[in-house]
Amino acid sequence: MDMSSHQREEHPEKEKGLALRVSKSGSRESSVPQLSGSDDGTDWTVEEEERLVRRGNALTDFFFKDVGITQDQFNIGQQLLSVGIVVLEIPSNYVLYRIGPSAWISGQIIAWLCESGFIPAGLYTITRWYKRDETSKRFAWFFIGNMLAQALSGIIAYGVLHMRGVSGLAGWQWLFLIEGLFTIVVGLIFTTFFPKGPANPTCYARIRYFNERESQILVRRVLIDDPTKQSTRKNISMGEIRHTFSFGTETTYDYDPDPVNGSWMALNARSAGERSITLAVFIMSANCSGIIGSQLFQQSDGPLYRTGWTVIIAVASVALFFTIWANVQYVLLNRRLRSKGNLEILHRY
């Protein structure tokens, strides 16, 4: 009998794939089967499973345990974030229109609790510097930058979370500190060097980026291309808000927010104030979905999440209906304008 066969006979439990542990009485007990085809369908040991659970906790750095919350409570926090953004988008852009992008966006970056209104403020600022046929590309780059930031922040967070224990702090605490300090530094740099506008291309550091003639060209080329971008008032009128909600709300909620849709809505605004509110409503729509989306997949609904997927299918079906309805409306309205000879005046893009 060769050695390999002798070992198989001497340790039949290993051949069957059973992990052994010694009980308190000294007898050997079999634990979880390691090979597929076992009675309970598992093919791993308890130790392997516990190791994976520990790694999973490391990825979230025990955040829930440290702060004493559950997954459902975390979902409510995400929901309240979206609610705050939706409620404060229009007031934020109202302030933006009154005091200007340089001061307002700078404050939003430094005091990140004022996040509501940041994206529409950035988009509105782009429309002040560029012509209509230049806006869409800039909007696209703006959103590309946003997506890249989200992707890189996840990679950075993975590394920072492994700093747990350094100076007695948890990994998630280091994450908050590092990203928070970085945001404040960027905000201070932005505040110092961002120009106030095309008509006054100076910053708080008293640097002038364009001379007087260049500044005039920047302003006039945009106004010649689109006279509605001329701002003659410090306040947004109620008429502009009403028209925004009669046109912009329907359009925004019919489509997923994206650079093309946002650019199209900005191009069709009839005044600078209306454009500011339109872009706010545009971003509000995305965060309205966040209010619902953060609660779709409840822990009690797992593992198949029938309720969550049912709601998603229902919402997608409603969105499809309104998309078709909106396109039918546009065809009919454009046909009516064309018959009256007003299509060239109202339908720019």
Side-chain angles (χ1 to χ4, degrees):
M1 180 183 298
D2 59 15
M3 184 64 66
S4 59
S5 61
H6 174 72
Q7 289 176 341
R8 285 196 296 270
E9 290 179 359
E10 186 177 359
H11 302 285
E13 297 91 349
K14 290 185 179 180
E15 185 70 24
K16 295 178 181 178
L18 296 178
L20 301 179
R21 67 163 70 97
V22 179
S23 66
K24 292 182 179 179
S25 62
S27 61
R28 293 190 298 179
E29 299 174 348
S30 63
S31 67
V32 183
Q34 289 183 319
L35 298 179
S36 59
S38 59
D39 293 338
D40 59 0
T42 58
D43 59 351
W44 58 84
T45 65
V46 173
E47 288 77 12
E48 286 178 307
E49 184 173 352
E50 290 176 348
R51 222 170 21 244
L52 287 174
V53 171
R54 286 196 298 269
R55 286 177 60 187
N57 288 335
L59 292 177
T60 56
D61 196 57
F62 303 91
F63 177 76
F64 291 167
K65 181 179 178 181
D66 287 349
V67 300
I69 64 173
T70 64
Q71 178 67 57
D72 290 342
Q73 290 173 318
F74 178 79
N75 290 345
I76 293 174
Q78 293 286 93
Q79 191 174 37
L80 292 175
L81 172 66
S82 297
V83 171
I85 292 176
V86 170
V87 171
L88 296 175
E89 285 284 12
I90 292 179
S92 173
N93 268 39
Y94 188 88
V95 176
L96 165 76
Y97 190 80
R98 187 173 181 83
I99 70 175
S102 179
W104 185 237
I105 296 178
S106 299
Q108 287 180 309
I109 296 175
I110 296 173
W112 196 239
L113 291 176
C114 304
E115 176 183 356
S116 180
F118 174 77
I119 293 179
L123 298 177
Y124 175 74
T125 303
I126 291 174
T127 65
R128 298 178 66 201
W129 287 83
Y130 295 101
K131 296 161 63 175
R132 289 176 296 177
D133 59 351
E134 300 168 343
T135 301
S136 297
K137 184 184 295 185
R138 272 71 187 183
F139 274 30
W141 280 112
F142 183 92
F143 280 96
I144 288 173
N146 186 37
M147 295 298 105
L148 286 175
Q150 292 182 11
L152 292 176
S153 65
I155 297 174
I156 294 172
Y158 176 80
V160 173
L161 288 177
H162 284 78
M163 294 178 63
R164 184 177 183 89
V166 178
S167 299
L169 297 177
W172 62 267
Q173 291 174 316
W174 278 112
L175 183 66
F176 286 7
L177 284 171
I178 292 174
E179 292 194 349
L181 289 173
F182 178 78
T183 301
I184 292 174
V185 170
V186 170
L188 292 174
I189 295 173
F190 182 91
T191 303
T192 304
F193 296 104
F194 189 75
K196 297 178 181 179
N200 184 20
T202 58
C203 62
Y204 289 110
R206 298 183 179 180
I207 300 173
R208 186 178 182 90
Y209 296 101
F210 304 100
N211 60 39
E212 193 67 31
R213 175 168 174 77
E214 290 172 337
S215 178
Q216 290 179 0
I217 294 174
L218 285 172
V219 174
R220 291 183 59 192
R221 78 186 196 97
V222 171
L223 294 180
I224 291 173
D225 175 70
D226 187 358
T228 67
K229 292 183 179 180
Q230 185 171 8
S231 177
T232 58
R233 304 186 315 273
K234 283 289 186 181
N235 296 315
I236 300 172
S237 67
M238 290 303 299
E240 289 172 326
I241 295 177
R242 281 195 300 269
H243 186 266
T244 298
F245 276 91
S246 64
F247 166 73
T249 306
E250 173 192 315
T251 305
T252 303
Y253 285 89
D254 285 343
Y255 296 95
D256 290 331
D258 58 55
V260 175
N261 192 30
S263 176
W264 173 63
M265 294 178 67
L267 293 173
N268 281 277
R270 301 185 303 177
S271 66
E274 183 179 310
R275 184 171 295 107
S276 176
I277 299 300
T278 298
L279 292 171
V281 174
F282 169 65
I283 302 301
M284 283 170 60
S285 65
N287 287 280
C288 280
S289 65
I291 296 174
I292 302 173
S294 60
Q295 293 291 344
L296 285 182
F297 296 100
Q298 296 285 334
Q299 188 173 353
S300 59
D301 194 30
L304 298 180
Y305 300 100
R306 288 188 174 90
T307 302
W309 288 114
T310 301
V311 173
I312 288 177
I313 293 173
V315 171
S317 301
V318 172
L320 177 61
F321 168 77
F322 279 109
T323 300
I324 297 173
W325 178 45
N327 280 277
V328 171
Q329 277 187 308
Y330 298 145
V331 171
L332 296 177
L333 290 173
N334 284 335
R335 187 177 300 169
R336 185 185 305 172
L337 290 172
R338 190 178 292 108
S339 65
K340 295 180 179 180
N342 295 328
L343 186 61
E344 289 297 323
I345 299 175
L346 298 177
H347 184 65
R348 294 194 289 271
Y349 281 84

